[in-house]
Amino acid sequence: MSLLILLNNKINFIAVFRKNGYIIFIFFIAFFSFLIGSCGLPTYPYLYAPEIAETRTNPENNDYDLIFNNASDNNTNIFSGYEVYYKIYDPLDSATAGAATEYITDRNNITAITGANRNTLISKDFNRLFFTTTIDDTSFLHNESFPSFQITQSLLDEEFKIRLLMQQGLSAGQSFFAAVWGNSSLSFPETQYFYRWVYNEFEHTSKRKFFNNDDFNIYDNDLPDSIDYSSLEESLTGDYYLYITFYIFSYGRDPDDITKSVYSSPVYLGTLKFDCIFEN
């Protein structure tokens, strides 16, 4: 008799579970979600890096620009613009074997680092590139604010290409600036000129410089130590050329703590060749 009761109870339990199993399943999902949400696990703001639109891997191709896609998939509550870093290489260094490929070695090493970030570039002697809307030296003021290359709010979620033009020998204001590329319906409210902020170790002063052939001084602190000045004229000036590699980050602020910067992973923009006449 008791066996029949047990069997009957088991059948009733199964019937009830089948009838209410979906409700029980939903309950457990909600319960575990609550536990996970209540255990204090941190969430982090995230930024997508911009995608490169044109490949610039061979500086000998005589390319004069760097082109990338605006990172429009980013949360505009976080995303506000870009940070660009550069490093100057000496392709004529005779003191180091394979010096002409040092920029390739750096790129491969950075790519191989899981979780590479801004500190990765700084540790490899990359320098920050700065942007300004002023080309006139009489009214120019150096600005260290972040991001250096700020995108106007109305363009943050727009899909378009951005071009960094770096053609030497043009008149002032005709090169070394960022512009919307290939989209006539969009533009930046003001021209964004980019420049190097260079400390001269002889004069003990910092000044704005671009990438024209006369923008390089033998005492500029962003030039590589490997340059063999003895191979130049006795006056320590002469024709030369340099390779310069560029990386870019998407940049923003943590909306829960605006004192915290948020960077995307670094993206290789390209390496370009620049002629120069060293000034002494």
Side-chain angles (χ1 to χ4, degrees):
M1 187 70 174
S2 59
L3 180 60
L4 291 174
I5 293 173
L6 289 173
L7 289 174
N8 184 56
N9 289 341
K10 182 177 181 181
I11 292 171
N12 289 337
F13 175 78
I14 292 173
V16 171
F17 183 80
R18 285 178 176 174
K19 181 179 179 180
N20 299 288
Y22 180 76
I23 297 175
I24 294 173
F25 174 76
I26 294 298
F27 171 78
F28 276 108
I29 290 296
F31 178 71
F32 282 113
S33 297
F34 172 77
L35 288 180
I36 292 173
S38 301
C39 67
L41 292 177
T43 58
Y44 298 98
Y46 178 83
L47 287 177
Y48 297 101
E51 295 180 352
I52 305 307
E54 302 286 345
T55 303
R56 304 288 189 232
T57 56
N58 183 1
E60 295 298 332
N61 283 346
N62 293 323
D63 296 311
Y64 302 115
D65 57 12
L66 303 170
I67 303 175
F68 61 96
N69 294 306
N70 184 44
S72 56
D73 290 338
N74 280 314
N75 182 345
T76 56
N77 291 325
I78 303 173
F79 178 47
S80 58
Y82 300 101
E83 286 286 306
V84 180
Y85 279 73
Y86 71 95
K87 181 177 178 179
I88 301 175
Y89 296 88
D90 175 19
L92 302 181
D93 179 21
S94 58
T96 306
T101 60
E102 185 183 353
Y103 72 98
I104 299 176
T105 301
D106 265 356
R107 181 188 178 189
N108 290 338
N109 289 341
I110 293 169
T111 301
I113 296 174
T114 302
N117 54 33
R118 184 175 71 107
N119 290 333
T120 305
L121 297 186
I122 293 174
S123 70
K124 295 185 178 298
D125 298 323
F126 278 78
N127 298 280
R128 189 181 179 210
L129 195 67
F130 294 93
F131 287 73
T132 179
T133 58
T134 303
I135 193 66
D136 183 2
D137 284 335
T138 60
S139 57
F140 163 76
L141 292 175
H142 175 60
N143 189 349
E144 297 272 355
S145 63
F146 289 83
S148 185
F149 182 13
Q150 187 166 9
I151 303 298
T152 186
Q153 183 71 29
S154 62
L155 295 178
L156 287 174
D157 57 357
E158 292 282 351
E159 294 184 8
F160 62 93
K161 291 180 174 61
I162 298 173
R163 182 194 193 200
L164 305 182
L165 178 63
M166 299 193 178
Q167 188 166 356
Q168 293 182 313
L170 301 182
S171 57
Q174 298 302 306
S175 188
F176 311 116
F177 65 86
V180 174
W181 181 249
N183 188 331
S184 59
S185 64
L186 297 176
S187 63
F188 297 133
E190 296 181 273
T191 302
Q192 298 280 343
Y193 300 97
F194 50 84
Y195 65 96
R196 301 153 51 220
W197 186 243
V198 179
Y199 179 75
N200 186 286
E201 296 172 347
F202 181 79
E203 299 175 350
H204 303 292
T205 58
S206 294
K207 63 179 64 176
R208 174 173 66 165
K209 290 191 174 184
F210 299 99
F211 297 91
N212 268 317
N213 58 2
D214 59 352
D215 276 328
F216 301 94
N217 185 283
I218 64 173
Y219 297 106
D220 288 347
N221 69 330
D222 61 352
L223 290 179
D225 296 332
S226 61
I227 294 178
D228 182 11
Y229 295 109
S230 64
S231 66
L232 305 177
E233 298 177 356
E234 292 183 359
S235 62
L236 290 183
T237 63
D239 295 337
Y240 213 73
Y241 70 93
L242 302 164
Y243 290 161
I244 306 183
T245 288
F246 298 86
Y247 274 82
I248 189 169
F249 302 84
S250 295
Y251 177 87
R253 298 277 187 180
D254 186 336
D256 295 325
D257 184 354
I258 61 173
T259 65
K260 292 183 179 179
S261 295
V262 181
Y263 292 86
S264 72
S265 57
V267 174
Y268 176 77
L269 265 176
T271 302
L272 303 182
K273 179 181 179 179
F274 293 85
D275 294 326
C276 63
I277 300 175
F278 285 114
E279 290 184 313
N280 180 8

